[in-house]
Amino acid sequence: MTELRYIRAVNMALADAMEADPTVVLIGEDVSEAGGAFGASRGLRERFGEARVLDTPISEGAIAGMAVGAAMSGLRPVLEIMFMDFTTLVMDAMVNQAAKARFMFGGQASVPMVLRTPHGGGLGAGPQHSQCLEAWFAHVPGLKVVCPSDPASAYGLLRAAIDDPDPVVVIENKALYAMKADVEGTPPVLPIGKAVIRRAGTDATVVAYGAAVRTAIAAADTLAERGVSVEVLDLLSLQPWDEAAVLASLSRTHRLVIVHEAVEAFGIGAEIAARMAQIGFDELDGPIMRVGAPFMPVPFSKGLEDAYLPSAAGVVRAIEKTME
Amino acid sequence: MTELRYIRAVNMALADAMEADPTVVLIGEDVSEAGGAFGASRGLRERFGEARVLDTPISEGAIAGMAVGAAMSGLRPVLEIMFMDFTTLVMDAMVNQAAKARFMFGGQASVPMVLRTPHGGGLGAGPQHSQCLEAWFAHVPGLKVVCPSDPASAYGLLRAAIDDPDPVVVIENKALYAMKADVEGTPPVLPIGKAVIRRAGTDATVVAYGAAVRTAIAAADTLAERGVSVEVLDLLSLQPWDEAAVLASLSRTHRLVIVHEAVEAFGIGAEIAARMAQIGFDELDGPIMRVGAPFMPVPFSKGLEDAYLPSAAGVVRAIEKTME
Amino acid sequence: MAIRPPIPDAADPAAPAGGPSREALLALYRKLLTVRRAEERLGTLFSDGEVPGFIHLSIGQEAVSVGIMSALGDADTIASTHRGHGHAIAKGMPLEGFFSELLARDEGLCRGRGGSMHVADMSVGMLGANGIVGAGLSIALGSALAHKTLGRDACAVAFFGDGALAEGLVHECMNLAALWKLPLLFVCENNGWGEFLPTSKQLSFRLADLAATYGIAHRLVDGNDVVAVAAAAEAVVPGIRAGSGPAVLECMTTRVRGHFEGDAQKYRDPDEIEALAARDPLRISAERLAGMGSNDADLSLAAEEVEAAVETALTVARSGRAPDFAAALADVYTGAA
Amino acid sequence: MAIRPPIPDAADPAAPAGGPSREALLALYRKLLTVRRAEERLGTLFSDGEVPGFIHLSIGQEAVSVGIMSALGDADTIASTHRGHGHAIAKGMPLEGFFSELLARDEGLCRGRGGSMHVADMSVGMLGANGIVGAGLSIALGSALAHKTLGRDACAVAFFGDGALAEGLVHECMNLAALWKLPLLFVCENNGWGEFLPTSKQLSFRLADLAATYGIAHRLVDGNDVVAVAAAAEAVVPGIRAGSGPAVLECMTTRVRGHFEGDAQKYRDPDEIEALAARDPLRISAERLAGMGSNDADLSLAAEEVEAAVETALTVARSGRAPDFAAALADVYTGAA
Ligand SMILES: Cc1ncc(C[n+]2csc(CCOP(=O)(O)OP(=O)(O)O)c2C)c(N)n1
Ligand SMILES: Cc1ncc(C[n+]2csc(CCOP(=O)(O)OP(=O)(O)O)c2C)c(N)n1
Ligand SMILES: [Mg+2]
Ligand SMILES: [Mg+2]
């Protein structure tokens, strides 16, 4: 067993993918000489050369479009956008180009690119450096979206994303970068679209992803002390997401709560709730509850930000509510 | 009674707002000399002068940011983005600037700007000129989003949007521009956030907005012949949306179907379904059904596009399904 | 509000040194004619309601497509614009696949899902027309990066209009291409218009100055003279492939039709449109051919052959299948079918 | 991969003609000192954990803020960057409101919701620092449009770094400002760095050439000499207000600290950092003052007063209230509270 940090798992996945496939290149602001704003690509320039680890000017629109064109011409670019908030500048490349190329060219082309970007608050980084915007990407046919919750999934999903023939958005959580876990050798490549049960339970299902998985587990721990058995399902993939796994869990527990750090309204949880209110309707013994951020920008003040972020207590209340 | 076309209603709303408030200016590509790609601003340059109706270069990012800055400095800009697909290029201005200014500056500033843009298919315009991306904007705290369904609401909501002190995204549907309706004088300004019952009914509620309202009414007509009484609720506003009206209707009919032209997955309907699966859970006598576009880009071929767009038959099937 | 006429409207009149042989020019002429006839046919199909959507014809601009492509091979890649029929056909997209696409048939190269604004043929390095003004620049930039990184002896070409010069992406891509010395040729088709407004009201600058700012070589080319365009392309493409860095060709050309079919061009002086006949790329080439000793029979033979090829392709296209919805839905992702 | 050093590293050495009086210069010096002390204090507050988030100090660059603002009035507006403390304080944001914001107090001008990257004071025309590189350019563009449309005798100023020059928005905004002759002053703070990489590796061009392309007047200014900056601003601002169109001031300056606090600058030559002391804006101004007959007592009095003002503001800020969550939630939209 060795201890692996989340950010180091990302770094390993990049290194292993570059080792395995000479067409994998890294593109982004400060990814090369500096090794990435959060250190994800540290050492890779030295190992693979500056032609494969490219420091770019501050030109998000162009480098995203460049990744699309490069992917259509034989490379497998992994693009880093330093904060998910800045993906506002790459929407055209991702949505009108990358997502649609395969379909609109009649299957002639595929776009094997990856966009890595960190979301999430907790660092006091304020309204323009903390947003969770994954629901935008999940709404776009042609994109895939994954969101690892720990070092092993950070490795396994990033490897899968780089291997994937289609564009994949890999969302990391800044607050998880320092997270450590024990792993046995190299973590396995994970299938895109499969959820994992992080904690088995029988009374209620909590679906979460990314940093909210920890919150969900903390809530489950609290309720376990009160004799309530909560199942925590880690989605891992948001598009496609594992509908079958959610339905199966709901069919066992008959209660559903969905948790994420993104704004609750029109977030990822809305789709999961909506789907279950259709295909899982007969299994539901209580209202479907969601726990997400309130409808406001991410505030700077620590106190406000703490109140803003979904909490284990909030998840406990939601579970209690649906079990009423 | 006079006959009013949808596009003419937009034109009237712009003219009346400019007449009422000298700080209202129109900004966009081909809005001035050409009167707008779809004719929304026809005649306004002649009437209000070129200083208030501004033809811009093809620089969506800059003109959107310019609208934000102008709104912070005393103007009320109404920005036209020619196709909603091109709003991919204004996400930073709308999301990181317009939406957050008031909050992140502690209430010192407000951003009274309007972004008008047409969405929707049916014209064979293909994957990059047909998308319905309203769910992105509805997910962003600080923005408001409205979507008129007929000439009167096109007038009433646009007037309200221009009067509003905060940024409002007004989404028109290209396929509705030619729609005509009889109106009595000038239509009233409509409150943002209020839905309207377009057809009363008792057996099931269909929630729709924009062009899908027609689809919903057609489905209701079909079912009326079979003795099923369907209520059609036109949301009109998507952010904030009229939760109370949806819940009230659901509480009468106990069956809920949501229809829109946008992609079903992670669309506007997801939030409505999710909310009702929580606060309306006890009222539900059947699964919540959604009818939206399938998970694919909007195809060019007429045949494919017809199959892609939500149909009255599809809505009928959904209603029947939840009434099973 | 425009300050000064930003783009000179006269192209470099200097005739290229040592032009093509008569046979070579006749081949170019035939290509010009192919693009022209195909588009004219599309125009009638559109007004007959046989082709849906928005279609932007490149009539009057064919010499840019044909001239540039004459310097390219299949390994070279191009990214195109909303006005991309000429680029596609000149790059080698077969007419059947082209018409089948425009008629939304399953046999279309994009299986009827893309249409006019998305014609593409990856097998000949045509990476697609594009409905987003400016987007093709960054696609070509990426393709150039791939050529360089993978050590290919190839060049990527970005086509764009003068209106697209206002997009920030132009600046980002030119900076990047110059900074990294990418094998990228920028081809601006300067027709003086962006939709319904002269670009003199949209731009405060000249492309020549912008290119010079980045240290990118720029040439002004008579975009209606296929010989001039071909010569300019041949002058820069080998160097670009060899690693000398990007170049810009600014091709002064003429949009004869409306912005899209159905646009009656009421905003344009009828005299101006009429005067365009004198600069017709076909006429210019025909006159050159005549000067080189070609007779009318050569030209009419070419015309007949092209006509026949277009009609045959159209007949094939018309007999094609309608695309299948389930197949389309299954093809959003690779291997999902 | 950079081709050539894009930005000259020596600023225009010509001393401005007819400089300020000693009193005026002393006032500027005091402002420089205020920004410096406030930021130094922030640095210690940050390392003590009293200020959260990312903070980017403008130490070494204060003369740009102070010099430009000396030519502006309250009706003039500015849009700033992620490195915006100096802009805010120099434009007139009160120290209490400033420190209260950085300490996330309800009395902060942004009520503790924005923090370092969003300091703003609309009452003095400071439209906000900005966490998005380049975004301030378009905000200032819009403000300039408002000034012009509403007939105000005012100028808008866009501050941006040299790294921001790679954003497409720069090109779009310069084109628009030139095309419409907007009352907009572009102020580039050229410190040679964009985060951890020299901008010579990010840019293939010089701002002087880019500005010339749009026909915008450009001046290279010693950004560490407040007198030079003030003179350059005074030379262009009245004309801009009067409708002569935009101008660019490129202020060559020095980032002394890391990109943000906590950045140890390992990527930078220690000698280079040490050499910056010679170009310290405070030192340059102090020497000028000495040359004009100010004695050490003048300067230490100023230092004491500034020190006291900063500490008083900080004490006030520390005693402030924590912001209330419900109030914040109710203030996302106007009048919702
Ligand atoms: C990003 C974007 N903005 C606006 C449009 C609408 N539009 C299509 S073509 C065009 C004009 C383009 O002018 P130019 O680049 O000169 O090409 P031309 O049509 O003259 O060939 C515009 C504004 C678009 N398709 N994409
Ligand atoms: C759109 C965007 N891209 C990237 C960043 C991350 N970032 C913050 S500051 C910075 C460097 C800016 O350099 P410059 O404009 O020269 O300003 P300086 O820091 O030197 O003052 C970068 C890349 C950002 N904040 N916004
Ligand atoms: Mg043009
Ligand atoms: Mg800098």
Side-chain angles (χ1 to χ4, degrees):
Chain A
M1 289 295 237
T2 49
E3 200 184 64
L4 183 64
R5 264 174 190 269
Y6 190 109
I7 188 70
R8 180 72 197 118
V10 173
N11 185 263
M12 264 176 62
L14 294 173
D16 291 354
M18 292 183 82
E19 188 67 52
D21 181 347
T23 67
V24 174
V25 298
L26 310 187
I27 299 174
E29 294 159 18
D30 280 318
V31 299
S32 193
E33 291 194 23
F38 295 96
S41 43
R42 200 160 287 165
L44 302 181
R45 177 192 179 88
E46 292 71 21
R47 188 159 157 205
F48 298 102
E50 64 172 36
R52 292 183 64 196
V53 190
L54 294 147
D55 270 332
T56 74
I58 315 176
S59 306
E60 288 79 8
I63 63 179
M66 180 167 76
V68 179
M72 290 173 70
S73 294
L75 293 179
R76 290 191 172 255
V78 181
L79 173 71
E80 175 175 295
I81 294 292
M82 206 179 287
F83 286 81
M84 189 168 206
D85 313 68
F86 312 160
T87 62
T88 48
L89 295 165
V90 305
M91 295 310 284
D92 198 75
M94 294 308 296
V95 172
N96 284 331
Q97 312 300 332
K100 296 183 173 43
R102 173 174 188 80
F103 179 88
M104 79 183 165
F105 298 141
Q108 288 184 72
S110 68
V111 182
M113 70 171 281
V114 170
L115 162 60
R116 282 183 49 243
T117 192
H119 74 178
L123 278 68
Q128 292 174 340
H129 283 71
S130 308
Q131 291 167 88
C132 298
L133 301 171
E134 51 272 16
W136 290 358
F137 295 94
H139 188 41
V140 178
L143 298 180
K144 298 181 182 178
V145 185
V146 301
C147 187
S149 59
D150 64 6
S153 57
Y155 182 90
L157 289 172
L158 182 51
R159 288 297 310 268
I162 298 173
D163 287 349
D164 200 277
D166 295 311
V168 184
V169 182
V170 179
I171 300 163
E172 300 156 7
N173 190 300
K174 293 189 282 295
L176 293 184
Y177 276 145
M179 177 185 190
K180 292 174 202 162
D182 287 328
V183 295
E184 191 93 63
T186 303
V189 176
L190 294 174
I192 292 177
K194 285 272 165 255
V196 162
I197 295 174
R198 293 290 177 199
R199 195 185 200 288
T202 52
D203 298 333
T205 297
V206 178
V207 172
Y209 64 86
V213 172
R214 296 203 289 201
T215 315
I217 290 174
D221 288 344
T222 303
L223 283 170
E225 290 163 21
R226 301 188 204 158
V228 179
S229 163
V230 174
E231 179 147 303
V232 176
L233 196 70
D234 180 353
L235 278 185
L236 293 174
S237 292
L238 309 180
Q239 183 58 268
W241 58 279
D242 196 341
E243 189 174 291
V246 176
L247 183 59
S249 181
L250 171 61
S251 302
R252 289 190 297 269
T253 66
H254 309 292
R255 314 277 175 172
L256 180 60
V257 175
I258 305 150
V259 196
H260 52 57
E261 190 180 325
V263 165
E264 178 182 317
F266 298 93
I268 293 286
E271 177 65 23
I272 295 162
R275 258 329 257 170
M276 292 305 134
Q278 178 183 342
I279 64 174
F281 184 72
D282 293 338
E283 301 294 346
L284 285 167
D285 285 349
I288 302 177
M289 303 298 294
R290 286 177 297 158
V291 181
F295 205 61
M296 70 194 264
V298 187
F300 163 66
S301 128
K302 193 95 208 79
L304 293 181
E305 198 183 25
D306 285 348
Y308 173 91
L309 293 170
S311 66
V315 177
V316 167
R317 275 195 303 277
I319 297 170
E320 285 172 345
K321 177 91 188 160
T322 188
M323 294 187 63
E324 260 171 18
Chain B
M1 287 295 234
T2 49
E3 199 184 64
L4 184 65
R5 266 174 188 267
Y6 190 109
I7 187 69
R8 180 73 196 118
V10 173
N11 184 264
M12 264 177 60
L14 294 173
D16 291 353
M18 292 182 81
E19 189 66 52
D21 181 349
T23 67
V24 175
V25 299
L26 310 187
I27 298 175
E29 295 160 18
D30 280 318
V31 298
S32 192
E33 292 196 22
F38 295 95
S41 43
R42 200 160 287 164
L44 302 181
R45 178 192 179 87
E46 293 70 20
R47 188 158 156 207
F48 298 103
E50 63 172 38
R52 291 182 64 195
V53 190
L54 294 148
D55 270 332
T56 74
I58 314 176
S59 306
E60 287 79 8
I63 62 178
M66 180 167 74
V68 179
M72 289 172 71
S73 293
L75 293 179
R76 289 189 173 256
V78 181
L79 173 71
E80 175 175 294
I81 294 291
M82 207 180 286
F83 286 81
M84 187 166 209
D85 314 70
F86 312 160
T87 62
T88 47
L89 295 165
V90 305
M91 295 310 284
D92 199 74
M94 295 308 297
V95 172
N96 283 331
Q97 313 300 331
K100 297 183 173 43
R102 174 175 186 79
F103 178 87
M104 78 184 167
F105 298 140
Q108 289 184 70
S110 68
V111 182
M113 69 171 282
V114 170
L115 162 60
R116 282 184 48 244
T117 192
H119 74 179
L123 277 68
Q128 292 174 340
H129 283 69
S130 308
Q131 292 166 87
C132 298
L133 301 172
E134 51 273 16
W136 291 357
F137 295 95
H139 188 40
V140 178
L143 298 180
K144 298 180 182 178
V145 185
V146 301
C147 188
S149 60
D150 64 6
S153 56
Y155 181 91
L157 288 171
L158 183 50
R159 287 300 308 268
I162 297 172
D163 287 348
D164 200 277
D166 295 312
V168 183
V169 181
V170 179
I171 300 163
E172 299 158 7
N173 190 301
K174 294 189 282 293
L176 294 184
Y177 277 144
M179 177 186 191
K180 291 174 201 159
D182 287 328
V183 294
E184 191 93 62
T186 303
V189 176
L190 294 174
I192 292 178
K194 285 273 166 254
V196 161
I197 295 174
R198 292 290 177 199
R199 194 184 200 289
T202 51
D203 298 333
T205 297
V206 178
V207 172
Y209 64 87
V213 172
R214 298 202 289 201
T215 315
I217 290 173
D221 288 345
T222 303
L223 283 171
E225 289 164 22
R226 301 186 205 160
V228 180
S229 163
V230 174
E231 179 146 303
V232 176
L233 196 69
D234 180 353
L235 278 185
L236 292 173
S237 293
L238 309 181
Q239 183 58 267
W241 59 279
D242 197 343
E243 190 174 290
V246 176
L247 184 58
S249 180
L250 171 62
S251 302
R252 290 189 297 270
T253 66
H254 308 293
R255 313 276 175 174
L256 180 60
V257 175
I258 305 149
V259 197
H260 52 59
E261 190 181 323
V263 165
E264 177 182 317
F266 299 93
I268 293 285
E271 178 65 24
I272 296 162
R275 259 327 259 171
M276 291 304 135
Q278 178 182 342
I279 63 174
F281 184 71
D282 293 337
E283 301 294 345
L284 286 167
D285 284 348
I288 302 176
M289 304 297 295
R290 286 177 299 158
V291 181
F295 205 63
M296 69 194 264
V298 187
F300 163 66
S301 129
K302 196 93 208 79
L304 292 181
E305 197 183 25
D306 285 349
Y308 173 90
L309 292 169
S311 66
V315 177
V316 167
R317 276 195 302 277
I319 297 170
E320 285 171 344
K321 178 90 189 161
T322 189
M323 293 186 65
E324 259 171 20
Chain C
M1 289 191 181
I3 297 165
R4 55 192 168 105
I7 316 269
D9 46 19
D12 182 351
S21 69
R22 199 174 77 186
E23 286 67 45
L25 183 54
L26 197 60
L28 293 176
Y29 179 79
R30 196 184 297 258
K31 282 210 179 142
L32 290 173
L33 212 51
T34 305
V35 175
R36 173 70 56 90
R37 289 288 167 270
E39 288 206 312
E40 284 177 343
R41 205 63 188 84
L42 277 182
T44 57
L45 291 170
F46 182 83
S47 52
D48 293 349
E50 249 188 279
V51 167
F54 296 102
I55 73 168
H56 308 83
L57 301 184
S58 67
I59 289 178
Q61 309 190 175
E62 301 90 341
V64 182
S65 297
V66 174
I68 300 288
M69 295 334 155
S70 76
L72 304 181
D74 277 2
D76 301 309
T77 44
I78 69 166
S80 165
T81 68
H82 58 288
R83 201 176 300 287
H85 304 150
H87 306 143
I89 294 171
K91 192 71 170 69
M93 183 177 188
L95 285 177
E96 288 79 12
F98 175 81
F99 276 109
S100 298
E101 186 56 31
L102 271 286
L103 292 179
R105 295 299 196 269
D106 200 39
E107 294 81 359
L109 274 178
C110 303
R111 305 194 65 183
R113 300 176 203 154
S116 167
M117 273 191 284
H118 306 287
V119 285
D121 185 348
M122 303 295 154
S123 71
V124 298
M126 161 52 176
L127 304 183
N130 210 311
I132 305 299
V133 167
L137 285 151
S138 59
I139 306 273
L141 183 75
S143 192
L145 176 69
H147 293 332
K148 178 173 172 157
T149 308
L150 300 173
R152 293 188 192 124
D153 183 27
C155 163
V157 182
F159 287 93
F160 55 101
D162 46 334
L165 284 172
E167 289 284 6
L169 210 51
V170 166
H171 168 72
E172 298 186 357
C173 290
M174 290 199 174
N175 180 45
L176 267 156
L179 196 65
W180 293 357
K181 284 204 172 200
L182 294 179
L184 179 53
L185 177 62
F186 294 94
V187 177
C188 179
E189 299 181 278
N190 188 339
N191 61 15
W193 290 89
E195 290 200 349
F196 320 117
L197 199 68
T199 45
S200 58
K201 296 190 181 177
Q202 306 183 31
L203 304 174
S204 64
F205 61 93
R206 301 188 314 162
L207 176 52
D209 296 331
L210 191 68
T213 293
Y214 310 105
I216 304 180
H218 167 276
R219 287 175 186 233
L220 205 59
V221 182
D222 180 348
N224 287 21
D225 179 357
V226 71
V227 174
V229 176
E234 270 149 29
V236 294
V237 166
I240 292 174
R241 285 200 199 104
S244 67
V248 175
L249 297 183
E250 180 173 5
C251 301
M252 306 305 297
T253 187
T254 51
R255 195 190 82 194
V256 173
R257 304 286 265 249
H259 170 59
F260 41 54
E261 284 301 282
D263 166 13
Q265 305 207 75
K266 290 201 188 128
Y267 49 87
R268 216 167 158 188
D269 187 342
D271 291 350
E272 182 206 330
I273 302 179
E274 211 170 303
L276 297 178
R279 294 198 62 211
D280 180 26
L282 280 172
R283 181 167 157 174
I284 292 174
S285 293
E287 280 168 5
R288 248 190 219 285
L289 278 167
M292 291 166 90
S294 272
N295 54 30
D296 283 357
D298 289 346
L299 301 194
S300 16
L301 181 67
E304 273 165 41
E305 286 173 2
V306 164
E307 197 85 40
V310 165
E311 290 308 318
T312 306
L314 183 54
T315 307
V316 172
R318 278 185 169 140
S319 69
R321 291 185 310 272
D324 177 58
F325 186 79
L329 188 57
D331 207 21
V332 176
Y333 297 97
T334 305
Chain D
M1 288 189 181
I3 296 166
R4 56 192 167 105
I7 316 271
D9 45 20
D12 183 349
S21 68
R22 199 175 79 185
E23 285 67 45
L25 183 54
L26 196 59
L28 293 176
Y29 179 78
R30 194 185 300 258
K31 282 208 180 144
L32 290 173
L33 211 52
T34 306
V35 176
R36 173 71 55 89
R37 290 286 168 272
E39 287 206 313
E40 283 177 344
R41 204 65 188 82
L42 277 182
T44 56
L45 291 171
F46 182 84
S47 51
D48 292 348
E50 249 188 281
V51 168
F54 296 102
I55 72 168
H56 308 83
L57 301 185
S58 67
I59 289 179
Q61 309 191 176
E62 301 90 341
V64 181
S65 296
V66 174
I68 298 290
M69 294 336 154
S70 74
L72 304 181
D74 276 3
D76 301 309
T77 45
I78 69 166
S80 164
T81 68
H82 58 288
R83 201 176 299 287
H85 304 150
H87 306 144
I89 294 172
K91 192 73 172 62
M93 182 176 188
L95 285 178
E96 286 80 12
F98 175 81
F99 275 110
S100 299
E101 185 56 31
L102 271 286
L103 292 180
R105 297 297 198 268
D106 200 39
E107 293 81 0
L109 274 178
C110 304
R111 304 193 65 182
R113 300 175 203 155
S116 168
M117 273 191 283
H118 306 287
V119 285
D121 185 347
M122 302 296 154
S123 71
V124 298
M126 159 55 174
L127 304 182
N130 210 309
I132 305 298
V133 167
L137 284 150
S138 60
I139 306 274
L141 183 75
S143 191
L145 177 70
H147 293 332
K148 179 173 172 157
T149 308
L150 299 174
R152 294 190 192 119
D153 183 28
C155 163
V157 182
F159 287 92
F160 55 101
D162 45 334
L165 284 170
E167 290 284 6
L169 209 52
V170 166
H171 168 72
E172 298 186 358
C173 290
M174 290 198 173
N175 179 46
L176 267 155
L179 196 66
W180 293 357
K181 283 204 174 201
L182 294 180
L184 179 53
L185 176 62
F186 293 95
V187 178
C188 179
E189 298 181 279
N190 188 339
N191 60 15
W193 291 89
E195 290 200 350
F196 321 118
L197 200 69
T199 44
S200 58
K201 295 190 179 175
Q202 306 183 32
L203 304 174
S204 65
F205 60 93
R206 301 190 312 163
L207 175 54
D209 297 331
L210 191 69
T213 292
Y214 311 105
I216 304 181
H218 167 276
R219 286 174 186 234
L220 205 59
V221 182
D222 179 348
N224 287 20
D225 179 358
V226 71
V227 174
V229 176
E234 269 148 30
V236 294
V237 166
I240 292 174
R241 286 203 198 101
S244 68
V248 174
L249 297 184
E250 179 172 5
C251 302
M252 306 307 295
T253 186
T254 51
R255 194 191 85 196
V256 174
R257 303 286 264 248
H259 170 59
F260 41 54
E261 283 303 282
D263 167 13
Q265 306 207 73
K266 291 202 187 124
Y267 49 87
R268 216 167 158 188
D269 187 343
D271 292 349
E272 182 206 329
I273 302 181
E274 211 170 304
L276 298 178
R279 294 199 61 210
D280 179 26
L282 279 172
R283 180 165 157 177
I284 292 173
S285 292
E287 279 168 5
R288 248 190 220 286
L289 279 167
M292 291 167 89
S294 271
N295 52 30
D296 283 356
D298 289 346
L299 301 193
S300 21
L301 180 66
E304 271 164 42
E305 284 174 4
V306 165
E307 197 85 38
V310 165
E311 291 308 318
T312 306
L314 182 55
T315 307
V316 171
R318 278 184 170 140
S319 69
R321 289 185 312 272
D324 176 59
F325 186 79
L329 188 57
D331 207 21
V332 176
Y333 297 97
T334 305

